[in-house]
């Protein structure tokens, strides 16, 4: 009927049709593969291949198409570095993701850049979250829940709920199969949003909330779950993770302070493993 748009073009006006290039003259049909720059065409163009070559090309197509995408949440510390190397060993297409919250040490971001450069990943996605603050920073603004005054050092209300919610958003946009986080077995003792129960719950939430989930499911993986810090370091040493470029300190300094909770945890873990920590400390 006049005045109505079709379902596929609802609310849009029809534009002019694109011009169609003329057909090539007889005898001048292209018989060579497309240019090298068109990667997918290189794999899909099998018209002039002999049967054996065509089968090999078909196998290459399946390999490329079956490569799973994975978002890796990176902080620049030991756990996220080991998680990144673990994910790379799975043969996935790595999509690194990092969040800049209020007061985040600049050295953490430097570490993330160094790690992704060393291992070779896709472009780093950096999300700015200036409203997200640690409880110690929120004291200056004031808050009504006085129980938070007893929260552990470095606690940010709802941090992983926000981080993984955003990761789920990007995962659905980019057809990513896995979201991988570096949370070890000690983290849940201080942070409830780092527990296996929490991540199992989030996986259920993704199932219920992502529109394309049935066709393109998204799953959170926590490969370091249940592991102590020293076991994480052993795992990283086996994979040759460059711990010298990681950053664990809560403070933004030239070298690790050596006295904050994170620094002490790191030093103790390396001591248990019996290897020298490759980073310097002030104290």
């Amino acid at each position: 009927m006049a005045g109505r748009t079709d379902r596929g073009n609802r609310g849009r006006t029809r534009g002019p049709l694109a011009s169609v290039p003329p057909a090539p003259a007889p005898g001048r049909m292209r018989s060579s593969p497309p240019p090298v720059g068109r990667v997918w065409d290189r794999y899909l163009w099998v018209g002039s291949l002999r049967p054996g070559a065509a089968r090999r090309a078909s196998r290459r197509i399946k390999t490329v198409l079956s490569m799973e995408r994975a978002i890796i949440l990176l902080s620049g510390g030991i756990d996220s570095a080991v998680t990144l190397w673990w994910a790379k060993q799975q043969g996935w297409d790595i999509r690194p993701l990092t969040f800049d919250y209020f007061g985040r040490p600049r050295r953490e971001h430097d570490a993330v850049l160094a790690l992704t450069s060393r291992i070779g990943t896709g472009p780093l996605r950096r999300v700015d979250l200036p409203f997200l603050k640690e409880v110690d920073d929120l004291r200056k603004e004031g808050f009504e829940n006085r129980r938070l005054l007893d929260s552990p050092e470095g606690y940010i209300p709802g941090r992983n709920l926000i981080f993984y919610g955003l990761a789920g958003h990007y995962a659905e946009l980019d057809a990513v199969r896995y979201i991988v986080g570096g949370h070890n077995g000690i983290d849940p003792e201080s942070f409830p949003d780092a527990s296996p129960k929490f991540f199992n719950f989030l996986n259920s939430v993704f199932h219920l909330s992502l529109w394309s989930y049935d066709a393109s499911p998204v799953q959170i993986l926590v490969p370091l779950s249940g592991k102590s810090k020293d076991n994480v370091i052993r795992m990283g040493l086996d994979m040759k993770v460059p711990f010298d470029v990681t950053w664990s300190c809560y403070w933004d300094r030239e070298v690790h302070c050596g006295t904050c909770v994170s620094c002490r945890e790191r030093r103790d873990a390396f001591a248990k493993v019996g290897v020298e920590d490759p980073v310097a400390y002030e104290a």
Side-chain angles (χ1 to χ4, degrees):
M1 294 178 62
R4 294 183 62 181
T5 58
D6 61 271
R7 288 182 181 271
N9 196 37
R10 182 173 296 171
R12 302 176 184 174
T13 57
R14 295 181 181 273
L17 293 175
S19 59
V20 179
R28 299 182 61 187
M29 296 294 289
R30 184 173 185 162
S31 59
S32 58
V36 172
R38 296 177 60 186
V39 176
W40 290 108
D41 286 344
R42 288 170 58 204
Y43 284 112
L44 297 174
W45 190 87
V46 294
S48 66
L49 297 179
R50 292 188 296 274
R55 283 194 296 271
R56 289 193 295 274
S58 177
R59 285 195 294 269
R60 289 199 300 271
I61 293 169
K62 291 178 181 178
T63 299
V64 172
L65 292 178
S66 65
M67 180 181 288
E68 300 283 10
R69 300 185 182 105
I71 288 176
I72 315 299
L73 275 65
L74 295 175
S75 68
I78 286 175
D79 296 331
S80 71
V82 172
T83 298
L84 175 61
W85 256 250
W86 175 86
K88 189 70 172 179
Q89 285 194 348
Q90 311 311 308
W92 296 332
D93 176 6
I94 303 299
R95 310 294 179 92
L97 174 63
T98 193
F99 299 103
D100 283 346
Y101 51 87
F102 180 85
R104 181 190 183 190
R106 171 187 52 84
R107 294 298 304 274
E108 281 192 7
H109 185 67
D110 293 343
V112 168
L113 291 176
L115 290 167
T116 54
S117 175
R118 290 278 187 97
I119 200 171
T121 68
L124 173 66
R125 175 175 270 144
R126 181 178 180 179
V127 180
D128 193 23
L129 302 173
F131 67 91
L132 208 58
K133 301 180 180 181
E134 295 182 3
V135 168
D136 284 343
D137 294 312
L138 290 169
R139 291 172 190 262
K140 304 168 187 176
E141 303 174 7
F143 49 83
E144 295 187 27
N145 186 357
R146 309 313 293 172
R147 294 181 181 178
L148 287 176
L149 296 174
D150 298 324
S151 61
E153 184 178 6
Y155 178 67
I156 296 177
R159 168 168 46 190
N160 283 338
L161 185 63
I162 295 170
F163 284 0
Y164 283 87
L166 287 170
H169 164 75
Y170 292 121
E172 185 169 34
L173 287 178
D174 297 340
V176 167
R177 178 69 178 87
Y178 300 112
I179 298 172
V180 190
H183 305 278
N184 62 46
I186 306 301
D187 290 343
E189 295 180 6
S190 300
F191 305 105
D193 59 353
S195 67
K197 183 182 294 186
F198 172 78
F199 292 115
N200 286 336
F201 170 76
L202 273 190
N203 277 328
S204 298
V205 171
F206 284 163
H207 192 182
L208 294 172
S209 61
L210 299 180
W211 183 87
S212 63
Y213 186 93
D214 288 342
S216 181
V218 178
Q219 181 182 4
I220 297 172
L221 300 179
V222 188
L224 308 185
S225 179
K227 295 184 181 296
S228 62
K229 196 74 165 185
D230 52 298
N231 282 335
V232 172
I233 290 175
R234 290 187 179 93
M235 183 177 172
L237 291 172
D238 289 341
M239 295 187 292
K240 295 181 170 51
V241 174
F243 288 126
D244 59 305
V245 300
T246 59
W247 185 261
S248 302
C249 187
Y250 282 159
W251 308 109
D252 200 3
R253 306 184 179 192
E254 290 304 313
V255 297
H256 287 69
C257 74
T259 57
C260 70
V261 171
S262 186
C263 280
R264 294 199 306 269
E265 183 183 71
R266 176 181 178 129
R267 298 178 87 166
D268 290 345
F270 270 100
K272 286 181 180 179
V273 176
V275 298
E276 184 179 356
D277 188 347
V279 304
Y281 292 92
E282 286 184 358

